[in-house]
Amino acid sequence: MPEVLSAPLVVEFPFTRSLGPVQSAFLTGLRERTVLGVRTVDGRTLVPPVEYDPATAEELRDLVEVAATGTVTTWAWNPSPRRGQPLERPFAWVLVRLDGADTALLHALDAPGPDAVRTGMRVRVRWAPERVGAITDIACFEPYESEEAGQPAPHTGEFTDPVTGIVAPARLDYTYSPGRAQAGYIEALADRRTVGERCPACRKVYVPPRGACPTCGVATDERVEVGPAGTVTTYCIVNIKAKNLDIEVPYVYAHIALDGADLALHGRIGGIPYDQVRMGLRVEPVWSEGGRHPDHYRPTGEPDADYDTYKELI
Amino acid sequence: MGPARDVAVVAFAQSDHRRRTDELSEVEMLMPVLHEVLDRTGLKTSDIGFTCSGSSDYLAGRAFSFTMALDGVGAWPPIAESHVEMDGAWALYEAWVKILTGEADTALVYSYGKSSPGEVRDVLTRQLDPYYLAPLWPDSVALAALQAQALIDAGDTDEPALAAIAARSRDSAAANPHAQVRGSRPQGDYLVRPLRTGDCPPVGDGAAAVILAAGDAARGLCERPAWIRGMDHRIEAHGLGVRDLTDSPSARLAAERAGAFELPHGLKGTGGAPTVDTAELHAPFSSQEVVLRKALRLDGTVRVNPSGGALAANPVMAAGLIRIGEAAAAIHRGESDRALAHATSGPCLQQNLVAVLEGEPS
Ligand SMILES: [Zn+2]
């Protein structure tokens, strides 16, 4: 059993969303220290507001302003905050029904400990010093003894320079392990060898191996060394330069059937003008210094392969 | 009006759920389970009329990861296939509909999840709405804890009662060789108060597969098929502050539409409430069992989660399908005559699916 391979894998993206009229008004309002809700047809005030009634799906546009004070409807004490959460020290997650609202907003409550939190306690918004039009413009809630204040007041929802979109950065960290078959492939590449696996049922050799024959649905188990040379089965000419890719265009991207393999893999063709690449061209891998896979494939100089020898792999 | 055709679960298999499976790719983890249900029925992949799977790219951090898993079912030459980015219970629902419409007579349903590569608490925050919730990164345990506190405030449960649910689940799992956490273990410290480690599901990797078949085909493939008498799924508002977290109207409605509260179909005269003898509930947190027992009107006469439930093994995306599989297997073995299976998805039981399964009198 070879050592299990693993490597860090980070998935990170700016999640960019446009806002509808109601969400735009709400998030712009937060920037201006104003909390807006939306009225339903039956007279309830939803905070945070939504554009369609959760019960009837009716369109909602009737904005109202509610207070920045409210009451905790339920809570949970978080002793170990995780990355991205509103506070770095222990805090309470809370659902807060703001005065004038009929529904509750999820956020964090800054409190010294769980004994200082209870359902029904009075709290108020602590605004972030710099606000951009996002839910994080509310830094958190803080305890605040006060009487419950009044009714929601009508609001146009209009502000100068309204926020029309948000960017919510997302980052997830993984430790990726490729599994048995792919680990064997990667380990062989370290010795500049290419291995596939043979299906016990149909005898086809798959490269790179993924551990299963996609035709028979059984585990592939017999490791087979293939290549190093192979045949171009089909190709395309790339004319657009990809971002961060240090390859001059045009270049040729090809399917290459390595000798002994029953599945073509992908590779770039070099060492030959792009307009002279052809089906049947015999190629071999070129490794760069310290590279963990072939940098590209170049012609071997052999005569072209006969069409019948690779037609099933196109 | 009842379903147009009789459809049954005829085989079920699941992996041994484990904290990590670093040495296996997803398809390598899944394949033994697929072969087990096929072997059990004697079917070959080419005999299967429809294949449907459930999984999530966010668990593995890779796009279109389900296409790799398809290698395990032999997807060439082309097969009739579909995928849901949800728990496999919803894939089973799709397969059931496919058979009801007469477009297939058999279906293979599978699902899998490897939570070990990432942090599942963080991963699940990405299913939340991106405007008001996701930017705050409220993790799955935190949201369940808010629900638990609401239940405690309402007088529906307390911490000792939650601990008893956790203990009972893991005691039951002692007889389940596939479960990840078996037998008694300490409740542990607060993860997010009021939930302790023991109130929360283990994080792990696993897979499950089920074969469905219609009418006489089902009788030929299984000695005592688990007939699906009804199945339904419902959803509630995404915003937690809009919902009453102590109740689950969507689970109740799904159960009602699935016929869970009606007299048994094949066992006339033995009904009454409750009308099931076994319930497999997908309640990853002890507090969620409290909500579901109330919503589904389960009293002390119903065996709840004899498998140990999601508190004993919770492979994300497969745990709901496993509830249907476990309920069906109890009928196959003659341990149950009429069972309720439940699956959930989303924060605080946002979405709920209920199936009612029944064995013919022997
Ligand atoms: Zn094969």
Side-chain angles (χ1 to χ4, degrees):
Chain A
M1 188 75 204
E3 194 187 344
V4 173
L5 295 178
S6 71
L9 172 70
V10 177
V11 175
E12 195 167 17
F13 52 94
F15 203 38
T16 307
R17 310 283 305 189
S18 54
L19 303 171
V22 171
Q23 289 178 319
S24 170
F26 175 69
L27 293 179
T28 308
L30 294 185
R31 191 188 68 196
E32 307 303 326
R33 299 183 185 226
T34 300
V35 187
L36 299 183
V38 72
R39 285 264 215 196
T40 65
V41 175
D42 61 6
R44 297 199 319 147
T45 299
L46 309 181
V47 180
V50 290
E51 281 155 2
Y52 296 91
D53 190 304
T56 65
E58 265 176 288
E59 188 173 303
L60 302 177
R61 294 291 181 272
D62 186 9
L63 295 166
V64 290
E65 182 176 351
V66 299
T69 52
T71 303
V72 170
T73 64
T74 186
W75 62 284
W77 184 255
N78 185 19
S80 314
R82 302 171 75 81
R83 185 174 68 200
Q85 295 182 343
L87 294 168
E88 287 178 3
R89 57 185 173 275
F91 66 89
W93 289 106
V94 281
L95 281 168
V96 175
R97 188 174 46 72
L98 291 170
D99 299 337
D102 293 293
T103 62
L105 171 88
L106 179 89
H107 221 292
L109 170 68
D110 189 8
D115 294 340
V117 188
R118 62 187 166 78
T119 298
M121 76 183 284
R122 298 282 296 156
V123 295
R124 73 172 167 192
V125 169
R126 180 189 297 165
W127 297 104
E130 283 175 33
R131 295 176 308 283
V132 294
I135 191 67
T136 45
D137 288 354
I138 297 177
C140 62
F141 283 88
E142 58 192 19
Y144 182 69
E145 286 307 326
S146 68
E147 292 299 307
E148 190 159 336
Q151 292 297 308
H155 195 286
T156 60
E158 284 168 23
F159 297 93
T160 52
D161 190 21
V163 176
T164 57
I166 57 162
V167 179
R171 176 183 168 136
L172 296 168
D173 286 68
Y174 301 90
T175 303
Y176 180 66
S177 297
R180 181 196 57 78
Q182 293 179 86
Y185 174 75
I186 293 166
E187 278 165 354
L189 283 181
D191 300 333
R192 300 195 169 185
R193 294 182 300 119
T194 301
V195 298
E197 284 190 348
R198 191 187 303 280
C199 171
C202 69
R203 309 299 296 160
K204 280 193 160 61
V205 173
Y206 291 95
V207 58
R210 295 208 296 256
C213 172
T215 305
C216 306
V218 297
T220 54
D221 47 7
E222 183 192 338
R223 192 164 292 175
V224 180
E225 187 161 341
V226 298
T231 301
V232 171
T233 63
T234 186
Y235 64 94
C236 65
I237 299 166
V238 180
N239 286 290
I240 294 173
K241 199 169 166 68
K243 206 174 160 186
N244 304 325
L245 190 63
D246 190 24
I247 298 168
E248 286 307 310
V249 291
Y251 65 87
V252 174
Y253 195 67
H255 275 187
I256 300 156
L258 295 180
D259 295 346
D262 291 294
L263 189 71
L265 46 67
H266 314 253
R268 182 168 63 87
I269 306 297
I272 180 173
Y274 70 91
D275 56 356
Q276 289 177 30
V277 174
R278 56 202 180 264
M279 289 168 73
L281 182 71
R282 293 285 294 159
V283 293
E284 63 187 5
V286 177
W287 297 79
S288 59
E289 193 62 45
R292 289 188 284 184
H293 52 82
D295 177 70
H296 64 277
Y297 290 79
R298 69 178 169 212
T300 62
E302 297 166 79
D304 284 4
D306 188 56
Y307 179 68
D308 284 339
T309 65
Y310 64 86
K311 67 179 181 187
E312 282 187 16
L313 301 180
I314 293 175
Chain B
M1 197 185 83
R5 301 174 85 187
D6 283 338
V7 181
V9 176
V10 295
F12 165 59
Q14 61 183 315
S15 60
D16 292 341
H17 310 298
R18 292 190 280 138
R19 177 64 188 88
R20 318 197 65 85
T21 51
D22 293 346
E23 74 287 6
L24 298 174
S25 67
E26 288 166 326
V27 67
E28 287 166 351
M29 179 178 75
L30 177 64
M31 233 177 333
V33 169
L34 293 171
H35 291 171
E36 195 179 328
V37 284
L38 291 166
D39 289 350
R40 201 164 281 175
T41 53
L43 292 169
K44 298 189 294 293
T45 47
S46 55
D47 301 326
I48 299 290
F50 181 59
T51 299
C52 200
S53 60
S55 66
S56 173
D57 284 352
Y58 276 82
L59 286 175
R62 290 187 307 140
F64 296 100
S65 57
F66 76 93
T67 60
M68 302 285 199
L70 256 186
D71 286 352
V73 298
W76 185 266
I79 60 172
E81 182 270 338
S82 184
H83 174 260
V84 297
E85 189 79 7
M86 287 193 77
D87 188 289
W90 276 263
L92 185 142
Y93 184 92
E94 183 175 336
W96 178 62
V97 171
K98 194 86 167 177
I99 296 178
L100 288 181
T101 60
E103 288 196 35
D105 296 322
T106 54
L108 171 64
V109 180
Y110 64 89
S111 62
Y112 61 91
K114 284 185 68 158
S115 293
S116 60
E119 288 286 338
V120 73
R121 285 172 69 178
D122 297 336
V123 167
L124 290 177
T125 65
R126 301 301 92 189
Q127 72 182 332
L128 302 171
D129 102 60
Y131 308 99
Y132 302 156
L133 291 179
L136 305 175
W137 294 82
D139 59 280
S140 47
V141 178
L143 297 178
L146 287 167
Q147 185 172 35
Q149 185 63 44
L151 287 162
I152 291 170
D153 287 337
D156 286 355
T157 193
D158 54 25
E159 289 194 38
L162 295 179
I165 288 169
R168 192 212 71 236
S169 299
R170 286 162 185 142
D171 282 349
S172 300
N176 177 355
H178 303 288
Q180 187 178 332
V181 180
R182 284 177 279 168
S184 68
R185 70 175 215 172
Q187 265 298 80
D189 294 331
Y190 288 120
L191 220 46
V192 179
R193 182 173 170 170
L195 294 180
R196 295 174 183 271
T197 316
D199 293 305
C200 303
V203 176
D205 302 349
V210 158
I211 289 179
L212 300 180
D216 287 340
R219 290 185 185 87
L221 295 169
C222 179
E223 210 169 298
R224 191 176 193 237
W227 299 104
I228 300 172
R229 294 306 185 199
M231 182 157 38
D232 195 83
H233 62 94
R234 299 282 155 169
I235 185 170
E236 286 167 50
H238 191 96
L240 297 175
V242 175
R243 292 159 51 189
D244 173 2
L245 294 178
T246 68
D247 197 9
S248 181
S250 59
R252 183 181 300 113
L253 183 58
E256 205 173 285
R257 297 300 182 98
F261 305 135
E262 289 167 19
L263 284 173
H265 180 278
L267 305 168
K268 286 195 172 57
T270 62
T275 66
V276 295
D277 54 42
T278 304
E280 280 285 342
L281 305 180
H282 184 194
F285 297 92
S286 58
S287 42
Q288 294 179 341
E289 185 178 305
V290 176
V291 179
L292 290 169
R293 276 178 182 268
K294 184 165 77 169
L296 300 173
R297 300 179 207 153
L298 301 174
D299 67 16
T301 66
V302 180
R303 285 187 308 160
V304 173
N305 288 345
S307 66
L311 283 165
N314 188 42
V316 176
M317 298 296 144
L321 180 63
I322 290 169
R323 304 282 72 75
I324 300 177
E326 289 280 10
I331 289 170
H332 295 161
R333 292 192 298 265
E335 291 167 9
S336 168
D337 290 324
R338 192 169 142 95
L340 179 151
H342 161 267
T344 194
S345 187
C348 299
L349 300 170
Q350 187 198 1
Q351 307 180 43
N352 294 283
L353 178 149
V354 173
V356 176
L357 305 173
E358 207 176 280
E360 281 162 8
S362 45

